[in-house]
Amino acid sequence: DNVNTLDTVKRDIKAEFAELLVPVMKGLELTLAARHDNYSGFGGTTNPKASLRFEASKNVMLRGSYSTGFRVPTFNQLYNGLTESTYAGKDLVDPKNCPSGKVDSTNPNCAAITPVIYTGGKPNLGPEESKQWTAGFVVDAGNGASVSVDWWSIRKSGTIQSLSLSDMVNNYGLFADRFIRNEAGAVVILDDRWINAGETVTKGVDINARISGKLGEGRWSAMLDGSYLLDKRSRLISSAPMGASEIGVFTRAGDLGLRWKHSLIGSYSQGDWSFTGVQRYSTGYKDAQLPGVANGSIVPANWQPNVGHYEIYDASVRYTGIKNLGVTFGIKNLFDKEPPFSAAYDGNTGAGSSWEPRVADPRLRSFTFTLDYKFF
């Protein structure tokens, strides 16, 4: 890891933000905002936001917004050193000479190749940019009950990705320049470093529902906070067609396209005591495929193409009977559930190893104890 030492790099960041609230008419508010960021090495960018809030009635509120965004590459994506490693598998072919993408010992054009793989940072990476909008409503049903629903869309361009080898092989026409050849035309190097690639469009609905009431001498409450994906698609470069739906399909770029995920929280409080239980749930998805599995040359006997759903429960009890002092004891992953198995291992970041860190937590049942004291 000496090539990844980052103690000599630095970045200066400056930002200004302004916001204006305009009461257009009774019950209708318009908010205009703008933020300007300046990153050394990238220059400046200005991103606006406009939002509307309309109280249609005493119990119904409508809202919507539009904004743009900007994200520069991380230091690791820019400055990690070049790492060279020889591909050890026997399932990779030269896609220029072997359009089938499968190793065939009887066909010299489809012989297995073992090039050097380049990974690491790319100093000439550009920023990601985004455009997003939301539209929704909030209904207050009274007596502690309310529900909000918000539709949203996010379009990112210039997404920073590390392509899989199978993506490069299957889309050779788009990434031919990353297959570096010797004078004889043989592939000797595959450049798998970070690149700014294509676009991603994600659309979904966020749902929040709350309800509360009295039970005996205490009060109870429940809240559902969930997100449902309507669409998620991407293209590897801007000139390529938009790909198939990525909902429920593994991808290394950004978040996984889980169809549904939620937190369900229930609590009960009486006097100095309160109890809370939490369910965290996310649907399963089609797992990452290793190159040999993807092209059909290797299919392990026990291969499972899908990752199961993830569901864990937390619980806690809190006592506030001592003036200014709160004591909380909690249990995370109450039923000691292991994360569902995933074959995805990110060689660039070391993330995961039989589990997917963007979805699951490898820690099993654990206990927490918290003391908090208010001085004022």
Side-chain angles (χ1 to χ4, degrees), residues 3 11 39-40 62 78 93 113 217 230 236 239 243 247-248 253 255 286 329 348 373:
V3 298
R11 173 185 292 162
Y39 291 78
S40 58
L62 308 178
L78 287 169
V93 298
I113 61 174
E217 299 297 320
L230 298 172
L236 294 177
S239 60
I247 296 177
D255 294 328
K286 189 175 181 63
F329 173 75
N348 287 295
Y373 185 82

Side-chain angles (χ1 to χ4, degrees), residues 69 72 81 112 123 125 142 168 170 181 185 244 272 283 297 312 331 336:
V72 301
L125 276 178
M168 287 195 289
N170 294 335
R181 302 174 182 273
D272 298 325
T283 55
S297 61
I312 61 172
I331 305 176
D336 205 32

Side-chain angles (χ1 to χ4, degrees), residues 160-207:
I160 299 171
Q161 301 184 39
S162 174
L163 300 174
S164 67
L165 298 184
S166 59
D167 275 340
M168 287 195 289
V169 169
N170 294 335
N171 299 276
Y172 175 74
L174 301 177
F175 303 107
D177 61 324
R178 303 179 76 83
F179 291 75
I180 302 171
R181 302 174 182 273
N182 59 19
E183 294 181 356
V187 177
V188 292
I189 297 171
L190 262 176
D191 188 351
D192 195 23
R193 291 176 292 175
W194 299 97
I195 63 170
N196 290 102
E199 290 182 314
T200 298
V201 177
T202 311
K203 300 177 182 179
V205 179
D206 287 346
I207 301 171

Side-chain angles (χ1 to χ4, degrees), residues 3-25:
V3 298
N4 295 329
T5 300
L6 300 178
D7 57 359
T8 59
V9 300
K10 65 179 182 178
R11 173 185 292 162
D12 293 329
I13 305 172
K14 301 176 182 178
E16 300 88 33
F17 175 80
E19 185 177 57
L20 176 66
L21 175 63
V22 182
V24 180
M25 55 182 285

Side-chain angles (χ1 to χ4, degrees), residues 60-261:
V60 178
M61 188 263 287
L62 308 178
R63 59 190 178 188
S65 68
Y66 174 83
S67 62
T68 64
F70 174 88
R71 186 180 80 85
V72 301
T74 66
F75 279 163
N76 296 95
Q77 291 170 337
L78 287 169
Y79 302 123
N80 271 4
L82 176 65
T83 299
E84 303 179 19
S85 57
T86 301
Y87 186 70
K90 300 298 181 183
D91 55 2
L92 197 63
V93 298
D94 183 346
K96 180 180 179 180
N97 301 324
C98 184
S100 70
K102 296 183 179 181
V103 173
D104 183 354
S105 59
T106 65
N107 183 353
N109 289 330
C110 293
I113 61 174
T114 55
V116 171
I117 307 297
Y118 279 179
T119 56
K122 206 72 176 291
N124 62 349
L125 276 178
E128 292 183 348
E129 297 181 346
S130 68
K131 297 178 181 179
Q132 49 269 333
W133 60 259
T134 67
F137 63 86
V138 180
V139 177
D140 184 353
N143 298 320
S146 66
V147 61
S148 67
V149 179
D150 290 282
W151 288 263
W152 51 267
S153 173
I154 302 172
R155 179 181 291 270
K156 294 193 296 184
S157 59
T159 51
I160 299 171
Q161 301 184 39
S162 174
L163 300 174
S164 67
L165 298 184
S166 59
D167 275 340
M168 287 195 289
V169 169
N170 294 335
N171 299 276
Y172 175 74
L174 301 177
F175 303 107
D177 61 324
R178 303 179 76 83
F179 291 75
I180 302 171
R181 302 174 182 273
N182 59 19
E183 294 181 356
V187 177
V188 292
I189 297 171
L190 262 176
D191 188 351
D192 195 23
R193 291 176 292 175
W194 299 97
I195 63 170
N196 290 102
E199 290 182 314
T200 298
V201 177
T202 311
K203 300 177 182 179
V205 179
D206 287 346
I207 301 171
N208 182 278
R210 302 168 183 263
I211 190 170
S212 61
K214 291 192 66 176
L215 180 62
E217 299 297 320
R219 292 196 62 84
W220 62 272
S221 66
M223 182 185 75
L224 172 68
D225 196 6
S227 184
Y228 183 86
L229 274 192
L230 298 172
D231 193 17
K232 185 176 190 291
R233 299 176 189 271
S234 64
R235 47 187 166 196
L236 294 177
I237 62 174
S238 58
S239 60
M242 196 65 77
S245 172
E246 296 174 6
I247 296 177
V249 178
F250 176 87
T251 175
R252 292 200 184 279
D255 294 328
L256 286 182
L258 302 179
R259 175 66 81 178
W260 171 259
K261 56 185 177 181

Side-chain angles (χ1 to χ4, degrees), residues 258-276:
L258 302 179
R259 175 66 81 178
W260 171 259
K261 56 185 177 181
H262 74 250
S263 294
L264 181 61
I265 304 172
S267 65
Y268 179 78
S269 60
Q270 180 176 333
D272 298 325
W273 293 91
S274 60
F275 306 86
T276 302

